[in-house]
């Protein structure tokens, strides 16, 4: 129904009057209209509803108010005071209100009938905002009035209870207001001087119901019936901490519960373990997180594992899994088995400890430093070391060697070393290969000399131009070949020459070298070895072919080509080409190419030899090291049966 | 039992086959190999039978001669403890699984690390080559199984295999299947090519599986659970065929092995410092080898000879070689 104020009646002073104006509709506010389609606020004492527009309270302002009393009530009763919310609860309740009460959207009964519940809610939820308290312009600003203990105040207290996804609001932990300052999470906080890496609430303030972690309390730490020994080797700390992780499967928890020693014999849990419980909580909180060991750990070596483990735990928070479906016992067992696995990784902890605790020795008083282990030395050892000085260490090492080494050598020689035999066989093989490589090399050298002889002889031939004329070139002069290096078209007659020169031109722009000059005896002319000062390298191209560093000598006019002629490609006729070198197009640069061929073969053989040297060196080093001082000192093979030196059955040997 | 002179018995496999199946082996201690400075975690014989590789919590792998027990080489490189080591089929490469979340492939001859396989997000616990030695399978505490290519070092597949640390992975003899066991009590069989899970064996409800392995003929699976029981399964039917008990295994992932060079035995370490040997068929304990002074964490059988290598934990740190006639 619309109450649009077309017939306004003079506002009544008494807002209690719900006089009906003929329509049977309840009327509200100082304007006495039944309009409920706009924002309304209800007085907490007289339960009358007022339009926000009429008393000039917007919805937004009302969000900040917890308790609101109309002007009349306040004037009547000076003790009534408009109460504003705490900032956070205002938002929350505002949300609640918004969700629970429909907004004005026009039409229909958007506003539920004001009923006591609603009133309470509205009374607490609506009200003049804190802005009013701050601001000075609102006419409704309440004057400071003493508190009235009304039911709404009780709500107020209740609404101070924080609830969230991780806080139930009702358990002991949620009720705490101060951080303990001693637990690991507190010590990480900035206000307690921490690096603020973990960023979690104080351990004692972790909600018992909803937090991911639950704090350790003495009552909780007395677990289910203890498992019978000897399967349970670690004392109760494991169970205690296992409790923490009971509903999680985080791997890190198992690291926390490392057993004391590998050699701990299974002992039944003694009564003294049980009586530690009440104190354990305190110790756990206060002392356990220090590096100086945990009260229940006897072996000081193992003690500081908690810290890295906790660090690990903090890091691994996201790997937590819920295991509620499994039974407790099974979880305990699994957790225990997991931690046993970690026994193999105790070295890691020890390693960490070493780095964490060099200063620990300093902290000890000098009287407790261990004695130097040097022979006959009574001085105290240096911190972090076993000896007082280098000399003592050396002396002890020397003594050790004198004592132990002869025995080890004897043991070694007692039985033949099969690997040695292998090594020897390998060496044999390498030797043989080296031999064959050397013969090949000699072969190469022979060919080299032969070639030189041929070239020499060819030079001595006289030029006989008329023997072969240029008409033999029956190639088409129209056919154009493209040079491979520069890409220009060239006449096939001069193609070979051109391409040689062209290639040399391009190739000489790059260098190819290594830092070391060639030092092979017996290699007459292999590598170019010209030093390039810019790149500090020696040119490693074949000397005969190097385009960078060897220029083709100018060919005199009367020099003869001299290339040995062949019939059917392979058979030497014994004859030589008589054309002048300048003109001969078929055998252009034949000496260079043949020399290069031979040189390449030689280079290959040298490489092979090099490789074989390398292998031999490796095998030799292995053989020497095997029975070397270090190997003998570090390892030992005890032979129990002097007759059996080789475990292979005789058929296989 | 047919009289077999211990002296000349079982000197060649052919000769042995003609005799009756031996009732009991007579393993005797021959060598003790000292050299590790921390608990030994795994020993494996090379497929060619020449070498024994041992990995340890002192971050190194040591190679010993298998027949004479002599020290050969140490492989350095890992930054944290090593949990497992495995040979390639040609006995030239090793792969090792370490707590530094990596696996390393080593060339035995040179002693150098060829590749480091990174990808796991937690301790790598077990590793194995496939018979072709082109792939490596690894299981880790991050509950996944990864398949790696040896040549490139890339991880080819990651199988989200389990909900608890994976304790053992193994290829079958053809390389087509992978079996993985985990602390969550499941044994899963995977197709190596596609990575699909073909079968799941729930060994026992929530009983952590500490070791799994295919039998040499590939038909059966040997599982070890932390209730001191070894079981032999026909995995295609999902039935447990044999159960071997008598030893103690409640904490550690103790390796077990098939011994097929002489009589058919199952060999396993145990937490009471003995090596147990059972007859595969009759399930009786046929021998218990004494000599170690700490938990025997691993026992491996030589591929061709009747040699067993066993290694123990921190208190002992030695590897012992035992030889038998049958």
């Amino acid at each position: 129904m619309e109450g649009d104020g077309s017939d306004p009646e003079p506002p009544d002073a008494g807002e209690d009057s719900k006089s009906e104006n003929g329509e049977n509709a309840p009327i509200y506010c100082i304007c006495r209209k039944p309009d409920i389609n706009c924002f309304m606020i209800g007085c907490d004492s007289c339960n009358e509803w007022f339009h926000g527009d009429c008393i000039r309270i917007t919805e937004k302002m009302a969000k900040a108010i917890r308790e609101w009393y109309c002007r009349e009530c306040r004037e009547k009763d000076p003790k009534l005071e408009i109460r504003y919310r705490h900032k956070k609860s205002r938002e929350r309740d505002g949300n609640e209100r918004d969700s629970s009460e429909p907004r004005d959207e026009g039409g229909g009964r958007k506003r539920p009938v004001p009923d006591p519940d609603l009133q309470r809610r509205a009374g607490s939820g609506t009200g003049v905002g804190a802005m009013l308290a701050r601001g000075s312009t609102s006419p409704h600003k309440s004057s400071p009035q003493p508190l009235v203990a009304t039911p709404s105040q009780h709500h107020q207290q209740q609404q101070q209870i924080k609830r969230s996804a991780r806080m139930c609001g009702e358990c002991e932990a949620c009720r705490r207001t101060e951080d303990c300052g001693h637990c690991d999470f507190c010590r990480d906080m900035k206000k307690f001087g921490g690096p603020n890496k973990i960023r979690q609430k104080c351990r004692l303030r972790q909600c018992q119901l909803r937090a991911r972690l639950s704090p350790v309390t003495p009552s909780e730490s007395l677990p289910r019936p203890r498992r019978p020994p000897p399967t349970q080797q670690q004392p109760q700390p494991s169970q205690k901490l296992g409790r923490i992780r009971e509903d999680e499967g985080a791997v890190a928890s198992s690291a926390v519960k490392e057993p004391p020693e590998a050699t701990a014999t299974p002992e039944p849990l003694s009564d003294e373990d049980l009586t530690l419980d009440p104190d354990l909580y305190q110790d756990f909180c206060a002392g356990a997180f220090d590096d100086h060991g945990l009260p229940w750990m006897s072996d000081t070596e193992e003690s500081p594992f908690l810290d890295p483990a906790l660090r690990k735990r903090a890091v691994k928070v996201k790997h937590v899994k819920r295991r509620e479906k499994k039974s407790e016992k099974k979880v305990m067992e699994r957790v225990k088995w997991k931690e046993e696995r970690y026994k193999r990784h105790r070295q890691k902890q020890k390693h960490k400890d070493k780095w964490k605790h060099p200063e620990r020795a300093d902290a000890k008083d000098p009287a407790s430093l261990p004695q130097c282990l040097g022979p006959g030395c009574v001085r105290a050892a240096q911190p972090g070391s076993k000896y007082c000085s280098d000399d003592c260490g050396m002396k002890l090492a020397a003594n050790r060697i004198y004592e132990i080494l002869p025995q080890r050598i004897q043991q070694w020689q007692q039985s033949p070393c099969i690997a040695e035999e292998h090594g020897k066989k390998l060496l044999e093989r390498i030797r043989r290969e080296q031999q064959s490589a050397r013969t090949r090399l000699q072969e190469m050298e022979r060919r080299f000399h032969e070639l030189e002889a041929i070239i020499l002889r060819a030079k001595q031939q006289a030029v006989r131009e008329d023997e072969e004329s240029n008409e033999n070139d029956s190639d088409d002069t129209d056919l154009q070949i493209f040079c491979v290096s520069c890409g220009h078209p060239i006449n096939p007659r001069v193609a070979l020459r051109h391409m040689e020169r062209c290639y040399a031109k391009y190739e000489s722009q790059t260098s190819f070298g290594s830092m070391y000059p060639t030092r092979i005896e017996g290699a007459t002319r292999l590598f170019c070895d010209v030093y390039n000062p810019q790149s500090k390298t020696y040119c490693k191209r074949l000397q005969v072919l190097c385009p960078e560093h060897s220029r083709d000598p100018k060919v005199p006019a009367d020099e003869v080509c001299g290339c040995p002629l062949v019939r059917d490609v392979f058979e030497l006729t014994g004859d030589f080409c008589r054309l002048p070198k300048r003109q001969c197009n078929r055998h252009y640069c034949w000496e260079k190419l043949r020399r290069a061929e031979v040189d390449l073969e030689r280079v290959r053989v040298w490489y092979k030899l090099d490789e074989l040297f390398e292998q031999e060196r490796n095998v030799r080093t292995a053989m020497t090291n095997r029975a070397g001082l270090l190997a003998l000192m570090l390892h030992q093979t005890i032979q129990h049966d002097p007759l059996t030196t080789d475990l292979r059955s005789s058929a296989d040997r | 039992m047919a009289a077999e002179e211990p002296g000349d018995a079982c000197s060649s496999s052919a000769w042995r086959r003609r005799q009756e199946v031996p009732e009991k082996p007579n393993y005797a201690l021959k060598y003790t190999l000292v050299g590790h400075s921390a608990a030994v975690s795994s020993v494996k014989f090379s497929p060619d039978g020449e070498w024994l590789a041992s990995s340890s919590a002192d971050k190194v792998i040591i190679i010993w001669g298998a027949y004479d027990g002599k020290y050969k080489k140490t492989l350095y490189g890992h930054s944290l403890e090593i949990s497992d080591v495995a040979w390639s089929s040609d006995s030239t490469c090793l792969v090792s699984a370490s707590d530094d979340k990596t696996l390393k492939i080593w060339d035995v001859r040179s002693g150098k690390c060829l590749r480091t396989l990174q990808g796991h997000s937690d301790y790598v616990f077990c590793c194995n080559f496939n018979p072709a030695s082109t792939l490596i399978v690894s299981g880790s505490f991050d509950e996944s199984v990864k398949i790696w290519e040896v040549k490139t070092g890339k991880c080819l597949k990651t199988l989200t295999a389990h909900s608890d640390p994976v304790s053992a992975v193994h290829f079958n003899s053809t390389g087509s299947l992978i079996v993985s066991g985990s602390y969550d009590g499941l044994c899963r069989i995977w197709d190596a090519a596609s990575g699909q899970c073909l079968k799941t064996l729930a060994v026992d409800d929530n009983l952590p599986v500490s070791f799994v392995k295919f039998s040499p003929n590939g038909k059966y699976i040997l599982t070890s659970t932390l209730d001191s029981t070894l079981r032999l399964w026909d995995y295609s039917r999902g039935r447990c065929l044999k159960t071997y008990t008598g030893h103690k295994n409640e904490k550690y992932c103790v390796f077990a092995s098939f011994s097929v060079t002489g009589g058919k035995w199952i060999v396993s370490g145990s937490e009471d410092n003995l090596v147990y040997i059972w007859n595969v068929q009759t399930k009786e304990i046929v021998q218990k080898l004494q000599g170690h002074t700490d938990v025997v964490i691993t026992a491996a059988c030589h591929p061709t000879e009747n040699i067993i290598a066993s290694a123990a934990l921190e208190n002992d740190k030695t590897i012992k070689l035992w030889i038998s006639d049958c």
Side-chain angles (χ1 to χ4, degrees), chain A residues 403-436:
Chain A
E403 270 221 35
I404 301 179
L405 194 59
Q407 182 199 2
R408 295 276 170 95
I409 295 179
Q410 205 188 6
Q411 260 180 356
W412 183 266
Q413 287 165 346
Q414 248 175 14
S415 62
C417 178
I418 294 181
E420 286 277 329
E421 290 169 25
H422 279 290
K424 291 204 180 101
K425 280 193 205 131
L426 209 58
L427 273 183
E428 282 296 301
R429 194 164 55 83
I430 294 177
R431 290 269 169 65
R432 277 199 304 264
E433 284 186 18
Q434 280 178 353
Q435 235 1 66
S436 64

Side-chain angles (χ1 to χ4, degrees), chain A residues 412 417-420 622-637, chain B residues 32-36 51-52 54 60-66 68-76:
Chain A
W412 183 266
C417 178
I418 294 181
E420 286 277 329
M623 282 174 72
T624 39
N625 283 346
R626 195 175 295 124
L629 173 66
L630 204 57
L632 280 181
M633 288 298 288
L634 289 177
H635 307 92
Q636 187 189 11
T637 301
Chain B
T32 301
L33 314 182
V34 180
H36 278 296
W51 310 111
L52 181 70
S54 64
V60 300
I61 302 169
I62 298 190
I63 313 231
W64 314 80
D68 56 0
K70 295 231 193 279
Y71 163 79
K72 178 169 198 274
K73 204 184 275 278
T74 308
L75 307 180
Y76 300 94

Side-chain angles (χ1 to χ4, degrees), chain A residues 230-231 233-234 249 251 262-263 266 312 316 321 323 326-327 330 333-334 336-338 340-351 408 411-419 422 426 429 622 625-626 630-632 634-641 644-652, chain B residues 10-12 29-36 38-39 41 50-51 57-59 62 64 66-74 76 80-81 83 99 109 122-123 125 141 143 163-165 183-184 205-208 226 248 250-255 294 297 304-305 307 313-315 320-321 323:
Chain A
T231 52
Q233 283 205 2
Q234 49 286 8
V251 169
T263 58
K312 237 191 321 183
K316 284 199 173 171
K321 286 197 199 103
R323 296 280 169 101
K326 303 225 168 80
S327 67
K330 295 270 161 66
E333 290 178 11
R334 178 171 305 110
K336 196 166 59 92
W337 282 311
K338 268 192 216 154
E340 287 309 320
R341 210 67 208 88
Y342 273 79
K343 271 194 53 149
R344 292 194 185 181
H345 315 313
R346 265 175 53 231
Q347 296 301 323
K348 175 166 33 102
Q349 305 292 354
K350 281 198 181 138
H351 177 77
R408 295 276 170 95
Q411 260 180 356
W412 183 266
Q413 287 165 346
Q414 248 175 14
S415 62
C417 178
I418 294 181
H422 279 290
L426 209 58
R429 194 164 55 83
N625 283 346
R626 195 175 295 124
L630 204 57
L632 280 181
L634 289 177
H635 307 92
Q636 187 189 11
T637 301
I638 302 170
Q639 208 178 347
H640 299 277
D641 181 8
T644 315
T645 56
D646 190 341
L647 293 182
R648 288 180 291 196
S649 48
S650 46
D652 297 338
Chain B
C10 313
S11 60
S12 80
L29 176 62
K30 292 299 179 195
Y31 287 109
T32 301
L33 314 182
V34 180
H36 278 296
S41 55
E50 289 282 340
W51 310 111
D58 60 6
K59 311 174 204 162
I62 298 190
W64 314 80
Y67 298 124
D68 56 0
K70 295 231 193 279
Y71 163 79
K72 178 169 198 274
K73 204 184 275 278
T74 308
Y76 300 94
L80 286 178
E81 294 85 347
S83 293
D99 281 4
R109 173 140 289 182
D122 206 344
Y123 314 131
F125 196 68
F141 262 58
E143 302 161 11
S163 51
D164 260 331
Y183 281 177
D184 61 4
D205 198 32
N206 295 336
L207 213 52
L226 290 184
K248 180 163 176 254
E250 278 154 13
K251 267 194 226 151
Y252 297 98
C253 290
V254 177
F255 285 85
D294 200 356
I297 193 78
T304 51
E305 301 284 336
I307 307 177
L313 287 187
E314 194 71 21
N315 203 23
K320 290 191 191 283
L321 288 176
I323 190 169

Side-chain angles (χ1 to χ4, degrees), chain A residues 101-121:
Chain A
E101 296 174 9
R103 303 186 177 278
D104 331 36
E105 283 165 63
R109 282 182 36 86
K110 289 295 178 300
R111 275 266 173 266
V113 173
D115 55 1
D117 285 348
L118 179 60
Q119 183 188 46
R120 207 177 19 252
R121 194 163 13 121

Side-chain angles (χ1 to χ4, degrees), chain B residues 108-123:
Chain B
V108 175
R109 173 140 289 182
S110 63
K112 301 250 178 294
C113 167
L114 296 175
R115 275 200 196 285
T116 304
L117 311 178
Q118 289 172 337
H120 276 295
S121 50
D122 206 344
Y123 314 131

Side-chain angles (χ1 to χ4, degrees), chain A residues 316-372:
Chain A
K316 284 199 173 171
V317 159
K318 63 177 158 66
H319 291 301
V320 154
K321 286 197 199 103
R322 304 246 158 234
R323 296 280 169 101
E324 287 98 358
K325 57 179 166 114
K326 303 225 168 80
S327 67
E328 283 181 2
K329 177 169 182 274
K330 295 270 161 66
V331 168
M332 252 312 288
E333 290 178 11
R334 178 171 305 110
V335 145
K336 196 166 59 92
W337 282 311
K338 268 192 216 154
E339 85 198 18
E340 287 309 320
R341 210 67 208 88
Y342 273 79
K343 271 194 53 149
R344 292 194 185 181
H345 315 313
R346 265 175 53 231
Q347 296 301 323
K348 175 166 33 102
Q349 305 292 354
K350 281 198 181 138
H351 177 77
K352 274 196 193 150
D353 295 345
K354 275 199 213 86
W355 291 114
K356 267 194 308 170
H357 300 114
E359 60 278 359
R360 242 224 277 189
D362 292 337
K364 291 194 221 170
D365 55 326
S368 65
L369 283 173
Q371 190 190 13
C372 165

